[in-house]
Amino acid sequence: MTRYADIPKPIRSGLVVLDPDHGTPQRVIVLQFNPDTLERAIAPQSAGDGGDASGGGTGSGDRNEALRLKGPAQETWKFTAEIDSTDQLEIAAPDGIHPQLAVLEMLVQPTTAQLRAASRLTQKGSIEISPIEMPLTLFTWGSKRVMPVRLTELSVNESAFDVDLNPIRASLSIGMKILTVSDLPAGHRGADLYMAHLAQKERLAAAARGGGLGALGLGGTGLVTGRG
């Protein structure tokens, strides 16, 4: 039997649910297949956004704010995850992929215990009930992308079923928002994890090779500085 011991095992992407107080993993969700594509949108928090929103060049914003940032950029991710129990026929799956779907759905659902606790407070006449806090969730895409996120979209397309109508194949459209220090309170573990993610991005940017003005067709510094 031919063995390929020297072939590295591929790293899987996934989600890690953390205890926000102690930072210990409560659950690790490994995606069965790495998504083929990732869609990322990065929107800067510019202080002078209101100045020329029309694009006509007649904005009334403070010119001193044009190059200022109010905080970290707002970044969202979208990808499609595939779950297929027929790819693992050696593993018994009496419920199909119900458990895998339920794990992901519980990332955007409060638990029955939390709902009952809120209901008891309501029955006791509590005037104000705080919204239910969910566990801290991290999205991992290799060692260079580990970031705190909040799921903003979860759309499920079930495409095959067993004889008991348990789903056995599905694709999930998952949308996430990266949580930054602008989203989390000071001292929150998620804020520290975001800072570590941003520091990693800074290290990668520093490793990029710089170019020269000649490659842009600019022969001297005068065209850049505005001095002829």
Side-chain angles (χ1 to χ4, degrees), residues 163-220:
V163 294
D164 295 320
L165 292 184
N166 295 309
I168 58 174
R169 186 184 304 123
S171 62
L172 299 90
S173 177
I174 299 176
M176 302 179 301
K177 178 185 183 300
I178 295 180
L179 298 178
T180 72
V181 292
S182 298
D183 303 307
L184 298 165
H188 193 282
R189 190 171 298 273
D192 294 337
L193 290 166
Y194 171 76
M195 292 295 286
H197 167 65
L198 187 59
Q200 175 69 274
K201 196 178 293 288
E202 291 171 353
R203 288 191 290 270
L204 292 171
R209 294 182 59 184
L213 292 176
L216 305 177
L218 304 177

Side-chain angles (χ1 to χ4, degrees), residues 54-90:
S54 63
T58 58
S60 58
D62 187 345
R63 296 178 183 178
N64 295 324
E65 301 294 319
L67 298 179
R68 296 183 183 275
L69 296 174
K70 294 184 292 186
Q74 299 294 304
E75 185 171 354
T76 57
W77 288 47
K78 286 186 179 182
F79 61 88
T80 299
E82 304 286 342
I83 303 177
D84 189 347
S85 66
T86 62
D87 190 62
Q88 299 174 316
L89 293 176
E90 72 281 2

